[in-house]
Amino acid sequence: MIIFRKLSEVKEKLRHPAVTIGNFDGVHLGHREIFRRLTGKARAQGGVSVVITFTPHPMQVVSPGTGVKLITTTTEKEALIAAAGIDYLLEIPFDWNFASIPATQFVEEILVGTIGMESLVIGYDYAFGRGREGDVNLLRALGERYGYTVDLLEPISNGTTIYSSTAVRNMVGAGDVKGVLSVLGRHYAVTGTVIHGDQRGRVLGFPTANLCVQKDLLPAAGVYAVKAAVGHDHFDGACNIGTNPTFDGHRLSLEVFLFDFDGDLYGREVTITFIERLRGEMRFPNIDALKEAIARDVARCRAILGAPESSAGQADPGRDLSGRQGE
């Protein structure tokens, strides 16, 4: 896939392009259906498929107070769009000047004049341009003038939930990491760098890696069964998101205990894939009660993930493991 990160990089009109436009945050199953239709359209007209998106997300510019939490980073979104077989990705820098461009001007100067669009595929709820005036009616009217076709996809769902980025955000935010698979099309994941935490691993007997993550969207506070990738190595694990109320904590943290891992993780990048939520965050009366709960959580995670029992889940509380996984 060829990526253009600004309009000036498009030096000439593309070959019989089929185009779609959107934010495509999350690249969920609805987006992937749009891409499937797009690539099919491109093949039918002997041309190329083109995805046009914006960076940063327009809501972060025009309505920053809404606090939209993105499902995917730019790098993740690029990789997912490439995996859908798209030929070209145009990432248009979005600011207030661009937001003020009328939809008709966007079509005439960019879609037709720069890209050479011959067909357009859009989702049922998409609109663009100043005041979101670029709806399907305007696009079809302009298509008659400039000779491109417009395909509108009706809402796509799993029978209960319409595929949308909002639905994904709501489900992840509520901790429904198992249910979101049916909308997102994959398990939700975050990537972070292992940093120094509060060094409680030696006390609790389950050393954890404390992650500084790249995303604002985290699952609800609680305990999760997870898969973890460290470089080319993969591990099962148990993850806790929360403020550590048993220790009167206030700062939100994400910590993961990797089963059967032995090594130093400080400074390394770890990707956590959330499989299932076990429970919400709890405050325990003392450290012994917390240790017993963690042991139960680890056993349940092993059962969910199909990992065999091992001594890693029964670490000696007296053993200094704080420098191993990160905490």
Side-chain angles (χ1 to χ4, degrees):
M1 182 178 73
I2 295 174
I3 301 176
F4 299 122
R5 291 195 166 86
K6 51 186 176 181
L7 281 166
S8 60
E9 294 180 359
V10 185
K11 302 300 183 183
E12 58 184 4
K13 292 183 178 180
L14 303 178
R15 178 172 54 88
H16 306 301
V19 176
T20 189
I21 315 165
N23 297 312
F24 303 114
D25 183 33
V27 192
H28 54 65
L29 290 175
H31 295 147
R32 286 158 63 179
E33 178 60 17
I34 290 175
F35 297 156
R36 189 185 70 80
R37 300 282 186 92
L38 182 71
T39 54
K41 194 78 173 178
R43 286 193 300 270
Q45 63 193 39
V48 296
S49 55
V50 183
V51 171
I52 298 177
T53 188
F54 308 95
T55 182
H57 192 290
M59 289 296 291
Q60 294 178 324
V61 175
V62 302
S63 187
T66 59
V68 60
K69 295 181 178 180
L70 299 185
I71 303 163
T72 47
T73 64
T74 298
T75 299
E76 288 172 335
K77 184 163 71 171
E78 290 174 351
L80 290 164
I81 292 174
I86 300 300
D87 296 309
Y88 292 90
L89 173 62
L90 170 58
E91 297 174 338
I92 298 178
F94 193 90
D95 55 22
W96 274 107
N97 289 331
F98 188 84
S100 67
I101 296 176
T104 297
Q105 181 182 346
F106 180 83
V107 172
E108 293 173 342
E109 296 182 2
I110 297 175
L111 298 184
V112 176
T114 300
I115 305 298
M117 180 176 70
E118 294 186 7
S119 61
L120 177 65
V121 180
I122 56 173
Y124 72 98
D125 59 347
Y126 188 70
F128 66 94
R130 186 178 59 195
R132 290 178 59 83
E133 61 189 359
D135 59 14
V136 65
N137 294 324
L138 177 64
L139 289 168
R140 282 177 171 160
L142 292 173
E144 293 179 3
R145 181 188 308 175
Y146 292 107
Y148 65 81
T149 61
V150 178
D151 286 4
L152 177 69
L153 269 68
E154 295 301 322
I156 305 170
S157 75
N158 58 14
T160 57
T161 303
I162 293 176
Y163 300 144
S164 72
S165 298
T166 298
V168 172
R169 292 189 192 102
N170 290 341
M171 295 175 79
V172 171
D176 188 9
V177 297
K178 186 175 182 179
V180 79
L181 179 63
S182 68
V183 179
L184 190 57
R186 62 186 185 280
H187 291 289
Y188 188 68
V190 301
T191 297
T193 302
V194 179
I195 59 175
H196 289 272
D198 294 322
Q199 304 295 322
R200 294 195 183 102
R202 72 187 70 185
V203 176
L204 299 176
F206 296 89
T208 60
N210 192 296
L211 298 188
C212 177
V213 301
Q214 301 170 1
K215 290 184 183 178
D216 293 328
L217 179 62
L218 291 179
V223 178
Y224 297 83
V226 300
K227 299 281 188 176
V230 184
H232 296 295
D233 297 321
H234 298 269
F235 302 90
D236 291 337
C239 176
N240 181 79
I241 298 174
T243 59
N244 294 306
T246 303
F247 295 95
D248 295 320
H250 300 285
R251 178 179 56 85
L252 186 71
S253 65
L254 186 156
E255 306 167 70
V256 60
F257 170 57
L258 304 185
F259 305 158
D260 309 311
F261 177 83
D262 184 23
D264 187 356
L265 285 176
Y266 286 126
R268 297 193 67 181
E269 190 173 83
V270 179
T271 296
I272 302 299
T273 299
F274 294 90
I275 306 301
E276 187 172 331
R277 188 179 194 225
L278 276 65
R279 61 173 175 84
E281 186 173 44
M282 298 175 61
R283 182 186 182 95
F284 294 92
N286 52 56
I287 290 179
D288 286 339
L290 173 59
K291 288 164 60 176
E292 291 175 2
I294 294 174
R296 290 193 298 269
D297 292 337
V298 168
R300 286 188 62 195
C301 286
R302 286 187 178 277
I304 290 169
L305 300 169
E309 292 289 345
S310 78
S311 59
Q314 305 293 329
D316 179 359
R319 180 185 173 199
D320 183 358
L321 295 172
S322 59
R324 289 298 186 183
Q325 294 202 37
E327 181 177 326

